[in-house]
């Protein structure tokens, strides 16, 4: 089976990461209780620095999985409730709509919240914490939109979730993720760094040397290695970084192949449970999306920026998972959801 898996993955990924394509690609597959790495192209094309399992990529919205896990762990330990309104922790949120939104609705994208920072045309401005709170208080939904009644993907909702978690625990989000998830799992190359005045991650030189250069889908370099993009000008709102090797540990934890704290294991499982049925094919869990294909249910989360793409997909019924990390925008991660995972699941 190992050879069959390698043939499936290689045949699908190699054509998407050729010498003529920008940047490179790191992939990790968990199947049969084993982790296998696949590496293509360059972390930095100008320096001819190849991608390895230890290269550090921008995770974009894959970070939401970690924040969802914090919520699930908090509910498992009785520290917060999904039906807690966000105003319980942030009383400055006193707008008619936002004061009724709950933690559970934020984490499952069912709040209905959709700020102008969530969709094109993208703003060129940045927003302070105070401006963000003011936007939330002033926001009114379109007709027919109400908390808990629809699935609307919202980045702003997870920025708000960050503020709720920070207020509840009295710690910044990066430290919370480190303390409650990364350290217990032994993930030593995953972090939410502070952002410098140049919008780059503040990390030691030896860490920065492992960071990718990001590219557009046309091959134009965008930003410097370690660049963090955010519309929000307050701590913790930049990007998270990780390696394929570290995310292989995460796959093992989600799929039951690691010995971990029972409460953390329960929290990971909780994040995967579908809580809102979008239609006969798609459903929404805590950060994760459910996709029902022919005989296979894929639970996954894509993420992307103009210079980074990331994807993690699980087939829990087969204890199968994959991560894709690319240092270019618009990488076609759908090949994992619709082709690689179903093909391996049917072996």
């Amino acid at each position: 089976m190992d050879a069959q898996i390698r043939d499936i993955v290689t045949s699908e990924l190699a054509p998407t990461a050729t010498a003529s394509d920008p940047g490179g690609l790191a992939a990790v597959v968990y199947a049969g209780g084993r982790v296998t790495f696949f590496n293509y192209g360059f972390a930095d094309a100008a320096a001819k620095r190849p991608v390895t399992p230890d290269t550090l990529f921008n995770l974009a919205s894959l970070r939401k999985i970690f924040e969802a896990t914090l919520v699930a762990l908090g509910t498992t330990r009785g520290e917060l409730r999904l039906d807690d309104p966000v105003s319980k922790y942030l009383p400055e949120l006193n707008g008619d709509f936002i004061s009724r939104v709950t933690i559970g609705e934020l984490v499952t994208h069912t709040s209905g919240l959709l700020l102008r920072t969530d969709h094109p045309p993208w703003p060129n401005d940045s927003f302070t914490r105070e401006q963000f709170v003011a936007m939330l208080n002033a926001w009114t939904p379109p007709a027919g939109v109400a908390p808990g009644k629809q699935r609307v993907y919202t980045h702003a909702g997870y920025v708000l979730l960050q503020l709720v978690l920070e207020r509840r625990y009295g710690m910044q989000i990066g430290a919370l993720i480190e303390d409650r998830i990364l350290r217990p799992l032994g993930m030593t190359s995953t972090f939410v760094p502070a952002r410098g005045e140049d919008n780059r991650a503040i990390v030691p030189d030896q860490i920065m040397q492992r960071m990718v250069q990001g590219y557009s889908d046309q091959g134009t370099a965008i930003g410097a290695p370690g660049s963090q993009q955010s519309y929000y000008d307050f701590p913790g709102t930049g990007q998270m970084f990780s390696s394929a090797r570290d995310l292989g540990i995460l796959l093992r934890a989600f799929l039951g192949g690691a010995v971990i704290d029972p409460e953390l294991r329960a929290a990971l499982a909780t994040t995967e449970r579908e809580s809102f049925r979008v239609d006969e094919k798609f459903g929404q869990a805590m950060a994760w999306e459910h996709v029902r294909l022919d005989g296979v249910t894929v639970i996954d989360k894509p993420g992307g920026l103009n210079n980074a793409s990331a994807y993690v997909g699980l087939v829990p019924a087969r204890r199968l998972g994959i991560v894709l990390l690319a240092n270019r925008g618009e990488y076609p991660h759908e090949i994992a959801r619709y082709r690689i995972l179903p093909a391996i699941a049917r072996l």
Side-chain angles (χ1 to χ4, degrees):
M1 184 178 289
D2 285 347
Q4 289 176 291
I5 291 171
R6 184 170 290 277
D7 286 346
I8 290 169
V9 175
T10 301
S11 65
E12 295 289 353
L13 295 186
T16 72
T18 67
S20 62
D21 291 308
L25 172 69
V28 53
V29 172
Y30 180 82
R34 289 182 291 277
V35 169
T36 306
F37 299 101
F38 301 81
N39 303 294
Y40 303 90
F42 293 110
D44 188 325
K48 301 299 183 186
R49 178 161 54 92
V51 167
T52 77
D54 298 303
T55 299
L56 294 171
F57 289 82
N58 189 323
L59 295 189
S61 282
L62 261 58
R63 167 179 157 167
K64 291 179 173 66
I65 295 171
F66 294 88
E67 286 155 327
T69 302
L70 287 177
V71 171
L73 189 58
T75 61
T76 298
R77 294 177 175 173
E79 297 163 346
L80 48 80
R81 295 169 56 92
L82 294 180
D83 59 2
D84 283 342
V86 293
S87 55
K88 174 179 178 178
Y89 302 98
L90 299 168
E92 58 267 41
L93 293 175
N94 50 32
D96 178 65
F97 183 88
I98 197 63
S99 62
R100 294 184 286 123
V101 169
T102 67
I103 291 175
E105 290 159 353
L106 287 182
V107 77
T108 57
H109 293 294
T110 56
S111 68
L113 185 68
L114 194 70
L115 298 186
R116 69 187 185 92
T117 51
D118 280 324
H119 55 80
W122 306 114
N124 293 319
D125 301 327
S126 62
F127 301 88
T128 65
R129 188 186 186 282
E130 291 71 25
Q131 289 171 322
F132 179 56
V133 169
M135 284 195 297
L136 292 168
N137 281 330
W139 193 78
T140 56
V145 172
K149 301 302 182 183
Q150 63 289 297
R151 188 265 190 188
V152 178
Y153 188 91
T154 168
H155 176 60
Y158 266 74
V159 176
L160 175 53
L161 189 61
Q162 170 194 323
L163 296 182
V164 170
L165 290 165
E166 290 178 334
R167 181 69 61 84
R168 169 61 184 85
Y169 293 107
M171 298 172 64
Q172 288 196 354
I173 193 68
L176 268 173
I177 292 172
E178 167 69 23
D179 181 65
R180 295 192 148 217
I181 303 172
L182 303 177
R183 190 179 298 117
L185 292 182
M187 296 175 65
T188 59
S189 293
T190 306
F191 48 91
V192 181
R195 190 170 66 231
E197 291 184 2
D198 59 357
N199 285 325
R200 294 182 73 189
I202 300 175
V203 295
D205 288 344
Q206 64 268 30
I207 299 297
M208 186 63 76
Q209 290 168 8
R210 293 167 55 195
M211 295 273 198
V212 296
Q213 168 64 57
Y215 300 92
S216 73
D217 59 339
Q218 301 299 309
T220 303
I222 298 177
S227 66
Q228 291 185 284
Q229 301 180 39
S230 176
Y231 300 131
Y232 303 103
D233 191 21
F234 47 94
T237 58
Q239 272 77 58
M240 190 176 199
F241 296 85
S242 188
S243 67
R245 192 178 305 280
D246 248 27
L247 293 179
I249 296 172
L250 188 68
L251 287 179
R252 189 183 294 275
F254 268 109
L255 294 166
V259 179
I260 60 176
D261 174 78
E263 289 182 334
L264 181 54
R265 181 178 298 285
L268 294 174
T270 295
T271 65
E272 298 175 46
R273 296 188 189 119
E274 182 179 300
S275 58
F276 188 89
R277 178 64 59 91
V278 178
D279 55 34
E280 63 180 16
K281 186 174 181 179
F282 293 98
Q284 180 69 52
M286 290 185 177
W288 297 97
E289 300 167 16
H290 282 228
V291 187
R292 286 171 286 277
L293 306 173
D294 292 337
V296 177
T297 296
V298 174
I299 301 175
D300 66 4
K301 179 72 186 81
L305 297 164
N306 59 359
N307 65 350
S309 301
Y311 175 87
V312 57
L314 311 173
V315 182
R318 295 298 306 273
R319 294 183 63 192
L320 164 66
I322 189 171
V323 169
L324 304 178
L325 300 172
N327 56 331
R328 77 177 195 244
E330 303 295 335
Y331 179 81
H333 64 264
E334 292 85 357
I335 60 174
R337 171 187 281 181
Y338 294 112
R339 292 159 64 175
I340 296 175
L341 288 173
I344 297 176
R346 293 180 183 121
L347 289 178

